Amino acid sequence: MLEIAILGGSGSGKTQISLKIAQSFDCVILSLDSLSVYQEINIASAKPTLQEREGILHFGIDILNPTQAHNVQIFTQEYQKAKDFCQTHQKNLLITGGTSFYLKSLIQGISKLPIPTQSQKELIENKLDSLSLQESYALLNQIDEPYATKLKPTDTYRITKALSLYFLTQMPPSEYFKANPPKPLLKDCEIYEIVLNREDLKEKITQRTQKMLENGLISEVKSLKNHYGTDFSWAKSIGIKETLEYLKGNLTLEDLKALIITHTMQLAKRQRTFNKTQFPPHFCANTEEICSCLTQRLQSQTH
């Protein structure tokens, strides 16, 4: 069994390559995308359609409703399901998407966290509900200053998780993670990264943005807003946050398109930096070269 990661900036063509390779070599796909996990977020996430996915088993897509929070533990569970399936059915696994942090978490590992009982969970939730975000951060800083300084005072999710761990174990997070070091889950991953010149990437992003708008991005975001509000993390995602401003009347349609393109280009630059600095040296090339290289790699495995 091969475990292959296909990385690249948003709009670079990862989905098209992964579908083509999976179709040709009967692979399973695990999505690294932080939006594709959600049902009802189809256009803004640029997830492959049901027709495109036909005959290709996907993990990490449509597993949460928009009111649920996504995290690395959920992703890790999806990875384990995908790996178990591939081992049982003798298939190769393609891991692809723009949220490379999740791949890094598999390679570096995550510490095993204790599971609270229902009564413990309720007690912890009551304690956290009685604190404002400012009070929560101050408490964490008092309990574990080195750990608190690594977090932004506005990082509600991580502050809450750190305090929950402390309330459950009575150990400062730094001490807990020192006593429970992370164990790598993915040891032999082959990494391929699509790297395009700026002009080619911008052209691909422009085409993708136009397609999203034509396919009903504005209607999708309006429906999400009406059903769920805008207090969830996905509402801050590129494509959704700009469309919410458009719906408020703050942007013209052309402004909306231009902003999505600009913000996606900026994100792609950050993704490239992350991939370059957080992973070991790996094969980088344009879309066609990556596809050709993967084809040769998988063909060699079958012989």
Side-chain angles (χ1 to χ4, degrees):
M1 170 190 168
L2 293 178
E3 294 179 282
I4 296 172
I6 304 172
L7 305 181
S10 290
S12 59
K14 300 180 296 295
T15 299
Q16 289 77 12
I17 286 182
S18 64
L19 290 170
K20 181 177 180 179
I21 295 297
Q23 190 72 55
S24 300
F25 296 97
D26 195 24
C27 300
V28 170
I29 293 177
L30 170 64
S31 172
L32 275 176
D33 188 83
S34 59
L35 272 187
S36 292
V37 293
Y38 290 108
Q39 303 153 11
E40 301 181 51
I41 305 182
N42 301 314
I43 300 168
S45 66
K47 73 174 68 158
T49 64
L50 289 174
Q51 185 178 3
E52 289 172 326
R53 283 181 262 161
E54 189 175 358
I56 303 170
L57 183 60
H58 279 71
F59 289 85
I61 288 183
D62 292 337
I63 61 172
L64 300 178
N65 70 56
T67 64
Q68 295 174 295
H70 188 35
N71 56 49
V72 70
Q73 284 77 24
I74 292 173
F75 173 75
T76 301
Q77 291 169 3
E78 283 297 294
Y79 164 71
Q80 200 60 59
K81 290 178 189 176
K83 182 177 181 178
D84 290 346
F85 181 91
C86 288
Q87 289 177 330
T88 301
H89 296 86
Q90 297 182 320
K91 294 181 183 290
N92 295 315
L93 179 62
L94 302 180
I95 306 171
T96 187
T99 314
S100 302
F101 166 76
Y102 290 146
L103 179 65
K104 182 186 175 184
S105 73
L106 292 180
I107 294 172
Q108 291 192 341
I110 56 174
S111 298
K112 188 174 183 180
L113 298 175
I115 301 173
T117 63
Q118 186 59 35
S119 59
Q120 288 174 323
K121 187 176 180 181
E122 290 174 359
L123 186 63
I124 290 170
E125 287 175 352
N126 288 335
K127 285 183 179 180
L128 292 169
D129 288 343
S130 69
L131 299 170
S132 66
L133 177 57
Q134 187 177 6
E135 290 170 333
S136 295
Y137 185 74
L139 177 59
L140 179 60
N141 194 62
Q142 181 182 337
I143 293 165
D144 191 343
E145 184 179 358
Y147 192 84
T149 54
K150 297 177 184 177
L151 306 181
K152 294 180 180 179
T154 55
D155 192 340
T156 307
Y157 175 76
R158 289 181 175 81
I159 293 169
T160 300
K161 294 291 284 187
L163 287 177
S164 297
L165 181 63
Y166 172 74
F167 291 147
L168 184 59
T169 64
Q170 294 302 301
M171 293 176 67
S174 294
E175 289 184 18
Y176 180 87
F177 290 123
K178 185 176 180 180
N180 299 272
K183 295 180 180 179
L185 299 175
L186 180 55
K187 297 179 181 179
D188 299 306
C189 183
E190 300 180 17
I191 300 176
Y192 298 80
E193 183 180 358
I194 302 169
V195 178
L196 305 176
N197 64 52
R198 193 177 187 281
E199 292 73 23
D200 289 344
L201 179 60
K202 186 172 183 180
E203 178 60 28
K204 279 181 171 285
I205 289 173
T206 300
Q207 291 175 2
R208 187 177 82 157
T209 303
Q210 182 62 39
K211 185 178 178 182
M212 288 165 67
L213 289 167
E214 290 172 356
N215 287 346
L217 174 64
I218 295 170
S219 297
E220 179 176 274
V221 173
K222 187 175 182 179
S223 177
L224 289 166
K225 176 178 177 290
N226 291 341
H227 283 92
Y228 305 106
T230 59
D231 293 332
F232 299 98
S233 59
W234 47 257
K236 300 178 181 65
S237 300
I238 295 172
I240 296 180
K241 63 181 180 180
E242 296 87 355
T243 305
L244 288 171
E245 288 301 308
Y246 170 82
L247 291 171
K248 291 177 185 176
N250 296 334
L251 300 174
T252 66
L253 189 59
E254 282 304 308
D255 290 338
L256 170 61
K257 181 179 176 181
L259 266 184
I260 293 175
I261 293 169
T262 297
H263 291 162
T264 306
M265 287 289 291
Q266 292 168 346
L267 172 61
K269 185 177 181 180
R270 294 194 298 270
Q271 289 168 323
R272 174 71 187 113
T273 299
F274 185 93
N275 294 340
K276 187 176 181 180
T277 59
Q278 300 301 310
F279 296 113
H282 50 272
F283 184 78
C284 299
N286 63 33
T287 313
E288 292 74 20
E289 290 170 325
I290 293 284
C291 193
S292 175
C293 189
L294 283 171
T295 298
Q296 292 176 27
R297 176 69 180 96
L298 288 162
Q299 283 176 339
S300 69
Q301 188 212 19
T302 59
H303 297 316

